[in-house]
Amino acid sequence: MSRIVHLNGDWLPETEAKVSVFDRGFLMADGVYEVTSVLDGKLIDFEGHCRRLDRSLQELGMGNPHSDAEWLALHREVVARNEVVEGMVYLQVTRGNPGDRDFVYPPAETPQTVVLFTQSKPGLADNPVARVGWRVISVPDLRWARRDIKTVQLLYPSMAKMAAKAAGVDDSWFVEDGAVTEGTSNNAYIVKNGRIITRQLGNDVLHGITRASVLRFAREAQMEVEERPFTIAEAQGADEAFITSATAFVMPVIEVDGARVGSGTPGPVSARLREIYIDEMRKAAQ
Ligand code: PMP
């Protein structure tokens, strides 16, 4: 089925939505994005994604082309027009088309490019992979130093995903100065003696919206949370490991660089957090 996408105020069949070759998103990766999951035709953790979008735009000196209410209406409309029950909404805002290529930003009044599209993913919540878990390898973190801004410059994460694929595993974890920063498109965690350990927030990781919710639910369930860096060796000696992201929710990790984590099967803490997260998100979905 051909999708209807949103482009700068218009609703168009995907084949008719065109962006200029001079768009700074295309030429300079000068744009930010968000991915919001859809369950039961409703948006998950939407406010968090709106907050982070606003922050990413601000950090890059870009205005926000829409109010939260307008973003919500656009998200709902793209979901409805494409009859998405389970899946996600992708949103991208670029600095627009200055009409030429130049390192200097165009004047602030240059219209930004705004795109929304959907991807249907039946089985997002009841994902059989979550019962098996992911295997990951480690790769050096060679990304730029402002990973807290959700930009569309995703080449190195793509390379790391390809390295994982070539190694026959599911994902890569980035390592910097001997410690894990995060996964290619997710935040990374280990569990040791009932304690959930994940890197603290800073410019070196994306401030995951799923991370914020999952840590809140963990604390509410009286689980201990420690925000600090951890090493690959620690992960290999942990009882459990997992990742979080808007589309994977909570996904157990059962192997790190060829070494089994814990029993080598998804652990109880990851399973519980996944269940709590999905239940709570369904209740709060908009
Ligand atoms: N880190 C990186 C590098 C990511 O790309 C993502 C997903 N966009 C995440 C973490 C997880 O963030 P969220 O939970 O908001 O999807």
Side-chain angles (χ1 to χ4, degrees):
M1 185 184 94
S2 173
R3 282 168 292 191
I4 300 294
V5 306
H6 178 89
L7 174 61
N8 301 330
D10 293 325
W11 295 97
L12 301 166
E14 60 183 49
T15 48
E16 285 169 33
K18 305 268 169 55
V19 175
S20 166
V21 295
F22 299 116
D23 194 281
R24 284 185 61 96
F26 177 64
L27 293 180
M28 306 278 189
D30 188 357
V32 301
Y33 75 107
E34 280 297 329
V35 172
T36 304
S37 270
V38 175
L39 287 181
D40 313 319
K42 291 184 182 162
L43 300 157
I44 297 305
D45 237 339
F46 182 74
E47 275 161 31
H49 291 285
C50 251
R51 289 283 62 72
R52 185 173 61 191
L53 170 68
D54 200 56
R55 180 179 180 275
S56 295
L57 289 164
Q58 255 183 38
E59 291 294 317
L60 295 177
M62 276 194 243
N64 192 334
H66 291 296
S67 66
D68 287 4
E70 287 167 352
W71 281 125
L72 179 60
L74 286 172
H75 277 70
R76 283 182 168 159
E77 187 160 353
V78 80
V79 168
R81 282 181 182 261
N82 293 282
E83 297 172 12
V84 180
V85 179
E86 274 194 24
M88 56 89 142
V89 177
Y90 176 90
L91 144 71
Q92 181 170 332
V93 180
T94 81
R95 210 181 299 270
N97 163 24
D100 210 346
R101 181 176 181 273
D102 193 342
F103 280 76
V104 174
Y105 291 174
E109 60 272 18
T110 306
Q112 290 164 299
T113 302
V114 176
V115 170
L116 285 92
F117 62 80
T118 55
Q119 284 183 0
S120 270
K121 289 189 180 182
L124 198 64
D126 188 21
N127 185 349
V129 179
R131 292 191 278 279
V132 180
W134 278 6
R135 295 183 300 142
V136 304
I137 54 168
S138 62
V139 299
D141 198 338
L142 302 180
R143 297 173 300 163
W144 79 327
R146 288 304 306 275
R147 303 157 195 157
D148 56 311
I149 309 173
K150 197 166 168 64
T151 76
V152 296
Q153 43 167 333
L154 295 174
L155 184 54
Y156 190 66
S158 285
M159 290 168 71
K161 195 73 179 177
M162 292 309 290
K165 218 170 133 74
V169 301
D170 302 285
D171 201 18
S172 292
W173 277 7
F174 295 126
V175 173
E176 186 170 63
D177 299 330
V180 174
T181 50
E182 57 189 333
T184 57
S185 57
N186 47 70
N187 293 109
Y189 308 73
I190 56 173
V191 181
K192 187 72 181 175
N193 300 327
R195 217 174 229 280
I196 299 163
I197 301 161
T198 191
R199 194 182 183 92
Q200 72 281 5
L201 296 180
N203 290 355
D204 43 15
V205 292
L206 187 74
H207 301 190
I209 301 309
T210 320
R211 177 190 185 280
S213 294
V214 164
L215 292 186
R216 188 175 77 246
F217 296 140
R219 287 182 171 119
E220 282 170 11
Q222 313 301 328
M223 298 180 189
E224 274 185 80
V225 177
E226 198 179 333
E227 296 183 60
R228 63 156 175 89
F230 61 86
T231 64
I232 289 292
E234 253 189 301
Q236 291 172 327
D239 302 325
E240 291 183 40
F242 63 93
I243 60 93
T244 63
S245 80
T247 50
F249 305 138
V250 178
M251 179 61 69
V253 169
I254 55 152
E255 187 187 291
V256 177
D257 278 343
R260 238 172 36 186
V261 178
S263 63
T265 55
V269 174
S270 329
R272 172 106 197 278
L273 286 173
R274 181 177 175 88
E275 196 182 303
I276 297 175
Y277 179 77
I278 293 174
D279 281 357
E280 293 298 323
M281 285 297 130
R282 273 194 205 279
K283 280 190 229 160
Q286 11 184 13

